[in-house]
Amino acid sequence: MKHARFPLLVAVVLALGLTPGLGEAAAGGARDVYPGLRQDLAAHYDFEHPVSGNSAKEKDLGFSGTEIELVNGGAAMRARDGAYPRSRSSLETRQIGPAVAGNDDWKAGLYSASGVPTMNAFNRVQGTSVLGWFKMTGQNPSPNSNSQDPDDFYGAIGLAGVLSGTSDGHGVRALLELIEVDGELRLVALGRRLDSGESQTFAAAEDWRTLLPKDEWVFLAATFDFGDGTMKLYRNGQPVPGFYTVPGDPWEVGDGGPHYSSPTDPRGIKIGGSFPQNTREGNPCNCRFDSLMLLDRVATAEEVSRQYRWVTR
């Protein structure tokens, strides 16, 4: 068995009405997850469960138990602004010093140069999904604090994703992001099947400002099928039309398969910008995040729709 299926315990806790200790946090998190997704929910962050004794860390309500850090802002990053009726709070990320080449931006995640063992659910898998609620709250994209040119802006806005097994804190295995495509910023799913291989990008055709209006909560999902080389985007439970930006076969899936991601543990998670180890600023997001979910398989269109309706009905 590759990993423990903690959500089975959660289901029992919910069914019996028992919520002692860890079960209370897990049951609360599972309450907001469509039942069909719970068994494969490797990581889940609702930003209502700080680690005991350290409010600058957030508990993982998924089966992996991968705690993340609220970088630079700590507990102040917890905003009293829920994305849906049952949610009480969310995570706020933002650029702090746009004119300074530093590393003070508020972001979240974790990083280990040797890989994160608790994230082995994403080691040699056929698919991954990234789901969550997102709200643009300030200027996006942000001024490039690593540039001397005051008119230079970052070419991307970091949302959330899983780092690759050889990442420096920027490279990813599966990511939701806004990035420039042919000179135009677009909402994308960006994935890399092999650590040493090329990435592929699936870009939304619609204007990103229509998909993510300022000060409005939006539910986004991206799926990455490493088995057949396909990706999909969803907004508020509905598919988002788009196009692939890299021609050919960048994921090297044309030889029949089966195909998997690299057999390496990801080096972490990044939320609201790159470099969760806090070595530099990169693609900060003036945003809020709620109920971020990472699955170790491809969620179906029906499951994405049901997850959206599960918390908004």
Side-chain angles (χ1 to χ4, degrees):
M1 188 172 183
K2 188 174 182 180
H3 41 62
R5 293 299 191 183
F6 182 66
L8 293 178
L9 173 60
V10 171
V12 173
V13 169
L14 287 171
L16 297 178
L18 303 174
T19 56
L22 176 62
E24 182 175 1
R31 175 196 64 189
D32 290 344
V33 179
Y34 171 62
L37 298 178
R38 292 175 189 167
Q39 184 172 339
D40 303 298
L41 188 59
H44 179 205
Y45 307 101
D46 66 0
F47 305 106
E48 296 181 9
H49 295 92
V51 171
S52 179
N54 188 351
S55 59
K57 286 190 173 184
E58 177 72 11
K59 287 182 181 178
D60 176 10
L61 305 180
F63 65 73
S64 75
T66 305
E67 297 174 356
I68 58 172
E69 297 183 16
L70 310 189
V71 181
N72 289 319
M77 296 169 65
R78 299 180 185 277
R80 302 297 293 179
D81 178 19
Y84 48 89
R86 285 198 298 262
S87 177
R88 297 171 296 174
S89 64
S90 55
L91 171 76
E92 182 173 350
T93 65
R94 56 189 170 101
Q95 186 180 56
I96 301 298
V100 180
N103 56 350
D104 59 354
D105 55 319
W106 286 11
K107 55 195 168 192
L110 79 161
Y111 180 83
S112 172
S114 59
V116 179
T118 57
M119 295 187 68
N120 69 354
F122 302 101
N123 178 326
R124 198 176 184 273
V125 289
Q126 286 191 293
T128 299
S129 300
V130 180
L131 309 90
W133 289 86
F134 305 85
K135 183 179 185 179
M136 313 302 276
T137 58
Q139 181 182 20
N140 287 300
S142 297
N144 188 345
S145 59
N146 298 303
S147 170
Q148 298 285 332
D149 184 354
D151 296 322
D152 186 10
F153 288 77
Y154 285 102
I157 304 167
L159 295 180
V162 178
L163 299 180
S164 70
T166 55
S167 178
D168 63 352
H170 180 70
V172 293
R173 188 164 288 170
L175 176 71
L176 260 171
E177 187 173 45
L178 291 127
I179 194 170
E180 284 188 3
V181 177
D182 296 329
E184 183 177 349
L185 201 66
R186 292 185 183 274
L187 173 67
V188 306
L190 192 156
R192 178 178 287 101
R193 184 176 77 86
L194 301 174
D195 290 342
S196 59
E198 294 183 56
S199 63
Q200 175 62 287
T201 301
F202 181 79
E206 194 168 1
D207 190 293
W208 74 272
R209 289 158 293 196
T210 302
L211 296 170
L212 283 164
K214 188 178 178 183
D215 297 324
E216 180 179 320
W217 280 109
V218 176
F219 179 66
L220 298 178
T223 62
F224 306 80
D225 192 324
F226 300 126
D228 64 12
T230 59
M231 292 184 286
K232 294 180 181 178
L233 284 169
Y234 301 87
R235 180 187 187 273
N236 289 346
Q238 298 300 312
V240 175
F243 56 93
Y244 293 98
T245 67
V246 181
D249 183 21
W251 282 4
E252 302 176 38
V253 296
D255 60 359
H259 301 286
Y260 304 87
S261 63
S262 287
T264 54
D265 294 342
R267 288 190 172 182
I269 296 169
K270 65 176 184 178
I271 301 167
S274 290
F275 307 105
Q277 70 271 44
N278 208 25
T279 53
R280 63 174 290 173
E281 181 173 291
N283 302 332
C285 186
N286 293 296
C287 308
R288 288 182 179 172
F289 300 79
D290 200 356
S291 197
L292 291 178
M293 296 179 280
L294 304 175
L295 274 68
D296 63 347
R297 67 168 176 85
V298 174
T300 67
E302 178 65 19
E303 288 172 328
V304 172
S305 176
R306 287 181 179 271
Q307 174 58 44
Y308 174 69
R309 288 181 281 138
W310 185 257
V311 297
T312 58
R313 60 188 177 184

